[in-house]
Amino acid sequence: MEVWRINMHEQTYRRESTPETWSRLGGRGLSARILLDETPANCDPLGSRNRLVFAPGLLVGHMLSSCDRISVGGKSPLTGTIKESNAGGSTGLQLVLLGIKALIIESKPEHVGWKILHLSKDGVKFEPADDLAGLGVYATAEKLLNRYGPKVAMAMIGPGGEMRLSAAGIQNLDKDRVPARIAARGGLGAVMGSKGIKAIVIDARGGEKPPLVDEEGFKAAQKAFTRALMAHPQTKVYADYGTAAMARMSDGFGGLPTRNFSAGQFEGMEQISGEHLHDVILERGGEGETTHACMLGCTIRCSNVFPSSSGEAAVSPLEYETIGLVGSNLGIDDLDVIARLNWEVNDLGLDSIEIGAALGVAAEAGLMKFGDGEQALKLVAEIRQGTPLGRVLGNGAAVTGKVFGVQRVPAVKGQAMSAYEPRAIKGTGVTYATSPQGADHTAGLTIRAKVNHLDPKGQAELSRTVQINMAGYDTLGACIFAGFGFTAAPEAIRDLLNARYGWNVGTDILQVLGRETLKLEREFNRRAGFTAADDRLPEFMTTEPLPPFNAVFDVPDEDLDGVFDW
């Protein structure tokens, strides 16, 4: 496996052997190592010294169920911290088939203009993309598939990335060649835009799966993992209802963000629940699918295709995070309206979590009424038009709050919270506060833990455990739901890595990788000037009781400061 390094100023590339210190890392861990080694922590995120890193995880390449994810890393223009955002789809797999350990994009072009990076076994081509400027990701993907053929993978930005908006992500094709899998968080689409790249096309024809040191051992470990994954009861829940199943659970704990995080239960929850979503898809039929895989080989199939009333595909997928942030958080209980908002935000190449939170802050400021989907769509249209208001919203919840004088802004280190209220689910609140990534549920969600989520005691220890595990899974390239199988078959990760690479790691390898990754990320942030004072939730969450349980976030500061004392 090689490192491919692209210089956008010189429009050159070179292939390099993988340094020894990088060889046992992948995904999030490798991205963190590269950024710490090569990117000045005080750099301008949209300047020439920032790097954009695409790093497949350690297990990517053999279509293990839910284990072909791509990590994208760089210094975040949203948070100013190190950032890793990952996605499913086909990008990670096809990079590995070309023998790419990491794709590092550095510098930025001198002149205005857009490029397509075309990667194949023959190398890298820099091709003009000015004809794609201003296009949404759906039209961009269609044009590129017509140009390069249906079997390529792609990573692309929409108008949000072109405008360098801090809520911009990087869209990837799913197995059906729909640009529906977004590395959403932290504004890395703006970093890609700053480097003049509209799209990266990966053509792995002629490529090969990575070699296995012990093929029989790998197959046996894969079988044990798949068996454990399929036997887990939660796998069927996600296959039937997708991530939207979380709406009912979050609401039950009083943790469903409602009207800009002013309440934890939503009177319209039944209309946006996973069960109702499932029933609507079945009733409408047509192109709707209640279960859908984002990547080849996935056995969970937790995604979906939500159809319009006429049965045509409206958006795919409609996930819980979007339902929570542009649904209950805006007081909207209509799945069709949520789906329209979802499609528009996707087409702009923006993070629906960040935009939903920004719209909630805008509603608090009086720019729209809670529950008014048409007004919400008009505000999203402002983003597409690039108006001053649109640019404010497209730069996220924290910027929107500052511009309009709103104090109730659900963000940490400048990044909006996901759809789990931290006053009601306090372990996740600890994760929001202390993660090097800013407020992000994928850094360590605790809602499934068998604890009293309203009790501040023990929440820091709980968050520490899940943060370590999630950093490990992100380094493997594994979806969070792959954890159902790996938890039931804890030896599988050890056996898979040893059989693939010829290593001799133990059953604690997930935690070893997780701790190393977090250590690297925290060191980058330290160099960037972040301290323990930044590891805090917004003050209003420590003083303003959250209905219905009147909870505040009361985990002591000393507990937050001790999360990484392992």
Side-chain angles (χ1 to χ4, degrees):
M1 300 285 285
E2 295 178 315
V3 174
W4 288 26
R5 189 181 297 272
I6 294 173
N7 187 298
M8 290 306 297
H9 178 73
E10 300 173 356
Q11 292 193 27
T12 59
Y13 92 99
R14 65 180 185 271
R15 300 182 184 185
E16 304 170 351
S17 58
T18 302
E20 180 60 30
T21 54
W22 298 2
S23 62
R24 290 199 172 210
L25 291 170
R28 178 175 165 185
L30 178 56
S31 172
R33 178 77 268 173
I34 291 170
L35 292 169
L36 189 62
D37 286 351
E38 298 192 351
T39 301
N42 64 350
C43 73
D44 178 353
L46 301 181
S48 61
R49 296 191 298 167
N50 197 10
R51 282 164 173 75
L52 186 65
V53 178
F54 289 78
L58 286 169
L59 291 178
V60 173
H62 288 276
M63 290 188 288
L64 284 164
S65 181
S66 313
C67 292
D68 276 333
R69 295 181 74 82
I70 183 68
S71 284
V72 187
K75 183 177 179 180
S76 167
L78 185 71
T79 65
T81 67
I82 197 168
K83 192 62 195 169
E84 182 267 357
S85 186
N86 61 65
S90 53
T91 301
L93 175 62
Q94 293 224 31
L95 285 174
V96 168
L97 296 181
L98 287 178
I100 298 175
K101 174 80 169 177
L103 176 69
I104 304 174
I105 302 171
E106 54 192 24
S107 195
K108 58 187 297 185
E110 184 175 348
H111 303 291
V112 176
W114 295 101
K115 293 292 182 183
I116 298 164
L117 300 182
H118 182 267
L119 281 58
S120 71
K121 64 182 181 61
D122 297 322
V124 179
K125 294 179 182 178
F126 299 78
E127 301 185 349
D130 289 333
D131 62 314
L132 303 176
L135 289 183
V137 298
Y138 294 107
T140 297
E142 183 179 3
K143 284 181 174 290
L144 292 178
L145 287 167
N146 288 336
R147 187 180 306 178
Y148 294 104
K151 294 187 178 181
V152 298
M154 297 179 201
M156 71 198 78
I157 60 172
E162 293 179 38
M163 289 187 276
R164 281 67 153 179
L165 300 178
S166 295
I170 299 173
Q171 305 276 104
N172 301 267
L173 299 183
D174 68 11
K175 69 176 184 62
D176 297 324
R177 298 177 292 283
V178 176
R181 313 314 305 189
I182 183 170
R185 312 236 60 198
L188 295 179
V191 178
M192 187 163 159
S194 75
K195 298 189 180 301
I197 302 168
K198 177 66 174 177
I200 302 170
V201 176
I202 307 114
D203 185 347
R205 286 179 297 180
E208 298 178 349
K209 289 183 179 181
L212 298 173
V213 173
D214 177 3
E215 187 171 350
E216 291 305 313
F218 190 88
K219 288 180 178 178
Q222 180 177 11
K223 184 179 293 186
F225 161 63
T226 304
R227 186 186 308 117
L229 181 62
M230 295 306 295
H232 197 286
Q234 202 61 43
T235 296
K236 178 170 173 39
V237 173
Y238 278 106
D240 287 344
Y241 302 109
T243 61
M246 298 305 299
R248 187 178 300 279
M249 177 181 282
S250 293
D251 192 76
F253 284 128
L256 180 63
T258 300
R259 298 182 184 86
N260 191 34
F261 285 71
S262 64
Q265 287 186 334
F266 181 45
E267 70 279 2
M269 185 277 295
E270 291 293 345
Q271 295 303 112
I272 62 172
S273 68
E275 294 80 0
H276 184 64
L277 173 67
H278 176 269
D279 292 345
V280 169
I281 294 173
L282 287 181
E283 288 168 7
R284 292 181 176 178
E287 296 176 346
E289 295 182 45
T290 58
T291 183
H292 180 268
C294 77
M295 65 181 81
L296 291 171
C298 177
T299 57
I300 302 176
R301 305 178 81 244
C302 71
S303 187
N304 58 56
V305 178
F306 183 76
S308 67
S309 57
S310 61
E312 297 177 346
V315 74
S316 175
L318 190 52
E319 303 273 18
Y320 168 65
E321 294 300 329
T322 304
I323 290 170
L325 268 297
V326 305
S328 58
N329 184 56
L330 302 184
I332 295 172
D333 63 2
D334 186 327
L335 287 175
D336 287 302
V337 173
I338 294 169
R340 287 170 60 198
L341 284 163
N342 195 171
W343 189 95
E344 292 290 342
V345 172
N346 281 359
D347 195 49
L348 287 165
L350 297 172
D351 174 13
S352 62
I353 295 174
E354 193 68 48
I355 297 302
L359 292 174
V361 173
E364 181 111 349
L367 298 179
M368 62 169 278
K369 294 180 180 179
F370 286 112
D372 193 329
E374 291 304 318
Q375 283 187 306
L377 284 162
K378 288 178 181 178
L379 289 178
V380 173
E382 294 272 350
I383 304 176
R384 189 179 292 275
Q385 294 161 17
T387 66
L389 173 58
R391 287 180 175 271
V392 168
L393 295 168
N395 277 300
V399 168
T400 302
K402 287 180 180 178
V403 170
F404 293 105
V406 175
Q407 288 185 298
R408 185 190 288 121
V409 178
V412 178
K413 300 182 179 74
Q415 180 165 268
M417 294 176 184
S418 312
Y420 302 90
E421 233 294 353
R423 285 169 285 184
I425 307 168
K426 294 181 181 179
T428 298
V430 175
T431 299
Y432 288 165
T434 62
S435 169
Q437 303 285 329
D440 190 337
H441 72 292
T442 67
L445 181 62
T446 65
I447 191 171
R448 292 198 173 279
K450 305 300 182 183
V451 300
N452 178 358
H453 294 287
L454 295 172
D455 186 350
K457 294 178 182 178
Q459 301 294 347
E461 291 82 359
L462 174 61
S463 173
R464 176 193 301 128
T465 297
V466 293
Q467 285 197 61
I468 290 170
N469 287 344
M470 281 311 307
Y473 285 132
D474 290 341
T475 298
L476 294 173
C479 169
I480 184 174
F481 301 141
F484 299 143
F486 287 132
T487 300
E491 72 289 342
I493 296 175
R494 175 200 66 192
D495 294 346
L496 287 165
L497 291 174
N498 289 341
R500 176 162 171 176
Y501 296 102
W503 296 346
N504 186 29
V505 300
T507 54
D508 64 341
I509 185 59
L510 180 70
Q511 290 73 36
V512 170
L513 292 170
R515 290 189 185 97
E516 176 67 11
T517 298
L518 289 165
K519 178 182 176 182
L520 294 168
E521 292 175 344
R522 284 172 53 77
E523 176 58 21
F524 185 99
N525 286 357
R526 186 193 68 78
R527 295 181 188 181
F530 288 83
T531 70
D534 298 294
D535 292 344
R536 300 291 186 265
L537 293 190
E539 185 173 318
F540 80 88
M541 288 187 164
T542 67
T543 60
E544 183 181 303
L546 177 74
F549 301 124
N550 294 321
V552 297
F553 186 77
D554 53 1
V555 176
D557 286 352
E558 54 267 30
D559 286 8
L560 299 178
D561 294 341
V563 166
F564 299 104
D565 293 341
W566 53 60

